[in-house]
Amino acid sequence: QVQLVESGGGSVQAGGSLRLSCVVSGYTLSQYVMGWFRQAPGKEREGVAAIDRRGSPSYADSVKDRFTISQDYAKNTLYVQMNSLKPEDTAMYYCAAAHWFANGWQLSERSYPYWGQGTQVTVSS
């Protein structure tokens, strides 16, 4: 059974940094493609970052050059380092896993069947 557990969320001021973690169990991280998504109140869930089995990342334009996705196979853990945070980054953040995704669909939630419960990030101005 695939399980994803996020942590690392919290409250920070604008310009600050956070690193979110997603510990995976029930499978080997290297066998899946992974993504980070977020959902703000009243808004649809959006893809933030994704990484394929080769380690190639993809980012939403809104977070490019500020967020970095990475993974540690030894710890079976996915990360996203978030720098220069803005109030508009405030949202619940989710990690997700998939066996594969089609090119161009890395940041689409429809590509991912497995989801964590989320961790809240709040950025104050």
Side-chain angles (χ1 to χ4, degrees), residues 6-58:
E6 303 95 333
S7 63
S11 297
V12 296
Q13 290 191 326
S17 298
L18 283 173
R19 187 178 76 159
L20 305 183
S21 301
C22 173
V23 177
V24 303
S25 60
Y27 69 96
T28 302
L29 184 61
S30 61
Q31 296 175 321
Y32 284 69
V33 295
M34 302 293 295
W36 284 100
F37 290 76
R38 67 186 181 188
Q39 187 167 23
K43 295 188 176 181
E44 294 185 353
R45 189 156 54 185
E46 64 172 343
V48 172
I51 190 164
D52 65 18
R53 290 195 196 88
R54 298 171 299 174
S56 296
S58 302

Side-chain angles (χ1 to χ4, degrees), residues 41-115:
K43 295 188 176 181
E44 294 185 353
R45 189 156 54 185
E46 64 172 343
V48 172
I51 190 164
D52 65 18
R53 290 195 196 88
R54 298 171 299 174
S56 296
S58 302
Y59 298 98
D61 288 343
S62 59
V63 306
K64 202 169 292 183
D65 298 326
R66 299 190 299 122
F67 289 15
T68 303
I69 189 171
S70 63
Q71 46 196 3
D72 185 330
Y73 291 151
K75 296 182 178 180
N76 232 32
T77 301
L78 176 75
Y79 302 99
V80 62
Q81 177 68 42
M82 307 186 297
N83 298 327
S84 302
L85 284 162
K86 305 175 181 180
E88 50 264 44
D89 294 318
T90 295
M92 184 71 78
Y93 283 72
Y94 302 89
C95 69
H99 296 282
W100 69 285
F101 47 56
N103 191 32
W105 288 84
Q106 295 92 320
L107 298 179
S108 171
E109 62 177 314
R110 288 183 286 179
S111 296
Y112 297 83
Y114 308 109
W115 293 82

